[in-house]
């Protein structure tokens, strides 16, 4: 674990988000002091925040869908949601 | 928003939460439509998604699944293959055609869907490894958001595939 390099680890990731050598050292790596570095706990917390945000907006659309007798009422919101993948 | 995050990962602190909120809008609507057609399907899909997440996290932590170079290559190839197949299907859709078996609820359609679910689940292992190695290497703070974002992208994909699989099973 310890002696692997970031590039070895990330160079062949299957996740499309990781294909661009995400950890290739750039200027921001050198300028970063130790308190401003990534931690495992920080990433876990932020994943939790993203999950909650996603659940909140999903719950909002879900409620609108089932409260209105017209399912088309949420079409606009769903279209807006497609921006997520752009 | 996903593309912005990929190209400008320094902005992930803003774009990742925006992505999650927007994706929620789409997921809420899609889930509600599935729920209307197949009552109870959403809670099953959500449960299976988080169950898979927990199981894969355990498998990763106990080194039951090791993200070796070959493993990465295999998942990368399979994910790329699925992406190309979906893209071909999407383009064929414009011409009123489709690759029938992918969306069918026959044995082959369900088998294919199971394979996609497995690949999506194994992508989680790569996400865990990415986050852990990023922390080990002392990546900048914004990479916490980027790692969380990538995990969300995989989870959303996994959820949608499980939802589709359950719908196929119910429609038989």
């Amino acid at each position: 674990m310890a002696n692997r390099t970031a590039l070895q680890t990330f160079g062949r990731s299957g996740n499309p988000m990781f294909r661009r050598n995400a950890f290739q050292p750039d200027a921001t790596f050198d300028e970063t002091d130790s308190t401003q570095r990534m931690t495992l706990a920080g990433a876990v917390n932020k994943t939790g925040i993203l999950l909650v945000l996603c659940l909140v907006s999903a719950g909002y659309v879900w409620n609108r869908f089932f409260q209105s007798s017209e399912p088309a009422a949420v079409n606009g919101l769903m279209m807006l949601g497609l921006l997520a993948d752009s | 928003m996903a593309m912005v995050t990929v190209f400008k990962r320094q902005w992930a602190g803003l774009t990742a939460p925006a992505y999650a909120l927007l994706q929620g809008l789409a997921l809420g609507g899609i889930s509600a439509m599935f729920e209307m057609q197949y009552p109870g399907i959403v809670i099953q899909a959500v449960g299976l998604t988080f169950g898979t997440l927990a199981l894969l996290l355990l498998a990763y932590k106990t080194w039951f699944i090791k993200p070796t170079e070959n493993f990465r290559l295999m998942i990368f190839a399979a994910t790329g293959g699925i992406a190309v197949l979906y893209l071909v299907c999407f383009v064929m859709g414009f011409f009123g055609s489709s690759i029938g078996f992918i969306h069918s609820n026959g044995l082959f359609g369900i088998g294919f869907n199971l394979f996609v679910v497995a690949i999506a689940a194994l992508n989680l292992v790569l996400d865990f490894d990415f986050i852990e190695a990023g922390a080990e290497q002392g990546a900048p703070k914004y990479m916490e958001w980027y790692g969380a974002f990538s995990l969300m992208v995989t989870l959303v994909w996994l959820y949608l595939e499980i939802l589709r699989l359950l719908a196929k099973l119910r429609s038989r």
Side-chain angles (χ1 to χ4, degrees):
Chain A
M1 293 281 278
N3 57 7
R4 65 186 171 187
T5 69
L7 281 178
Q8 269 174 340
T9 308
F10 307 123
R12 291 212 176 129
S13 166
N15 190 314
M17 300 302 140
F18 296 155
R19 267 187 244 150
R20 287 164 217 286
N21 291 336
F23 282 154
Q24 204 161 36
D26 58 17
T28 54
F29 272 63
D30 296 333
E31 290 162 7
T32 312
D33 67 67
S34 59
T35 57
Q36 281 304 304
R37 294 205 183 275
M38 174 178 182
T39 63
L40 191 60
V44 171
N45 290 341
K46 286 167 177 68
T47 305
I49 293 171
L50 295 187
L51 275 173
V52 169
L53 288 175
C54 189
L55 282 175
V56 165
S57 58
Y60 175 71
V61 176
W62 174 279
N63 284 335
R64 288 260 318 239
F65 184 91
F66 284 108
Q67 276 166 8
S68 101
S69 51
E70 182 56 65
V74 298
N75 278 355
L77 286 170
M78 282 181 71
M79 285 296 171
L80 188 66
L82 289 180
L83 281 177
D85 298 313
S86 60
Chain B
M1 208 46 77
M3 287 298 131
V4 175
T5 313
V6 171
F7 286 108
K8 279 282 172 198
R9 50 185 198 267
Q10 291 90 337
W11 298 355
L14 286 175
T15 55
Y19 164 83
L21 276 172
L22 288 171
Q23 191 65 272
L25 295 179
L27 287 183
I30 293 167
S31 303
M33 284 174 189
F34 271 90
E35 181 74 15
M36 202 165 69
Q37 205 173 352
Y38 307 106
I41 195 172
V42 167
I43 191 71
Q44 284 178 351
V46 170
L48 280 171
T49 304
F50 284 108
T52 308
L53 174 69
L55 203 69
L56 267 292
L57 192 58
L58 187 74
Y60 174 74
K61 274 289 161 201
T62 56
W63 280 85
F64 184 71
I65 295 178
K66 300 178 190 69
T68 62
E69 199 61 20
N70 280 341
F71 175 84
R72 276 190 206 102
L73 203 61
M74 191 184 74
I75 301 302
F76 177 73
T79 308
I82 292 165
V84 169
L85 194 63
Y86 278 1
L87 191 68
V88 168
C89 248
F90 181 68
V91 173
M92 281 171 80
F94 287 124
F95 302 100
S97 178
S98 72
I99 305 174
F101 71 87
I102 292 182
H103 304 297
S104 84
N105 62 356
L107 214 56
F108 205 93
I110 288 173
F112 174 78
N113 213 153
L114 267 174
F115 170 74
V116 176
V117 166
I119 296 300
L122 290 175
N123 263 288
L124 288 173
V125 173
L126 300 185
D127 293 335
F128 301 150
D129 192 48
F130 176 83
I131 289 171
E132 198 167 61
E136 268 177 31
Q137 299 286 326
K141 203 80 178 161
Y142 63 78
M143 291 307 283
E144 289 179 351
W145 281 111
Y146 193 80
F149 159 76
S150 68
L151 197 54
M152 273 299 288
V153 170
T154 310
L155 277 174
V156 167
W157 181 32
L158 181 65
Y159 169 72
L160 287 174
E161 293 296 344
I162 289 177
L163 200 57
R164 199 185 305 192
L165 177 66
L166 291 175
K168 280 182 188 178
L169 290 171
R170 289 267 198 108
S171 68
R172 279 167 71 84

